[in-house]
Amino acid sequence: MGEAREVMDRLTDAVTTHADLKVISELYAEDAVAFTPDEGELRGRDSIVEYWRAMTEAVPEATFQSLHSYEVGDTAIDEGIFSGRNTGPLELPNGETLPPTQKEIRIRGVDIATVKDGRIVDYRLYFDEMDFLGQLGLLPDEPF
């Protein structure tokens, strides 16, 4: 197992099984860049840690079931299922905060992390945001 795989596995653990913002912070370079479907581009460690803070508070006992994991050079790639119950407030990209829905979620996604000198410098997260919002009951009943 190479450095990228080890760092990605530690990030997954710090976001799910053993949620720990300090560990998450240590895993990202100060000038890291991340892209997410719900927040778009995040620049800098502090912005990225804030993203994970909101997610770990919204779904505090999340799990990750790995379906595929790869390492190519300095990059680790995971496909898996993030699941849990929304028992904490949900922060929306527009700044609003919604109360917990208490609904179970099960979202398939892909994470890609490029690592330099033991820290993530480029991170990409892909998941179906409409599926996520639908499972939380936050979409209108009528089609658009």
Side-chain angles (χ1 to χ4, degrees):
M1 171 170 40
E3 181 179 61
R5 177 81 267 143
E6 180 185 332
V7 170
M8 178 72 98
D9 290 347
R10 288 179 59 212
L11 175 64
T12 300
D13 185 65
V15 168
T16 58
T17 309
H18 301 101
D20 189 330
L21 294 177
K22 183 177 182 216
V23 171
I24 292 169
S25 179
E26 292 169 357
L27 293 173
Y28 282 94
E30 189 174 327
D31 60 349
V33 177
F35 296 89
T36 71
D38 48 346
E39 291 290 334
E41 182 179 83
L42 303 168
R43 293 198 158 274
R45 176 190 300 143
D46 293 343
S47 295
I48 297 167
V49 171
E50 177 59 22
Y51 176 82
W52 287 122
R53 181 205 56 77
M55 185 62 77
T56 58
E57 286 181 6
V59 188
E61 295 181 11
T63 61
F64 183 78
Q65 174 192 356
S66 179
L67 300 174
H68 300 280
S69 63
Y70 307 96
E71 183 177 44
V72 180
D74 62 359
T75 301
I77 304 162
D78 282 342
E79 178 185 6
I81 299 181
F82 177 87
S83 58
R85 181 182 294 275
N86 173 224
T87 59
L90 187 65
E91 295 179 20
L92 301 177
N94 66 4
E96 290 181 50
T97 301
L98 298 176
T101 64
Q102 302 301 323
K103 295 195 184 263
E104 293 284 335
I105 60 160
R106 184 173 162 81
I107 306 297
R108 189 176 190 134
V110 173
D111 301 73
I112 304 169
T114 300
V115 175
K116 302 270 190 228
D117 300 321
R119 296 184 190 254
I120 299 168
V121 294
D122 184 81
Y123 179 79
R124 295 166 191 276
L125 173 63
Y126 299 96
F127 64 87
D128 185 333
E129 191 173 2
M130 294 298 280
D131 186 28
F132 177 60
L133 294 173
Q135 289 183 41
L136 290 172
L138 299 175
L139 295 178
D141 292 335
E142 295 296 316
F144 295 98

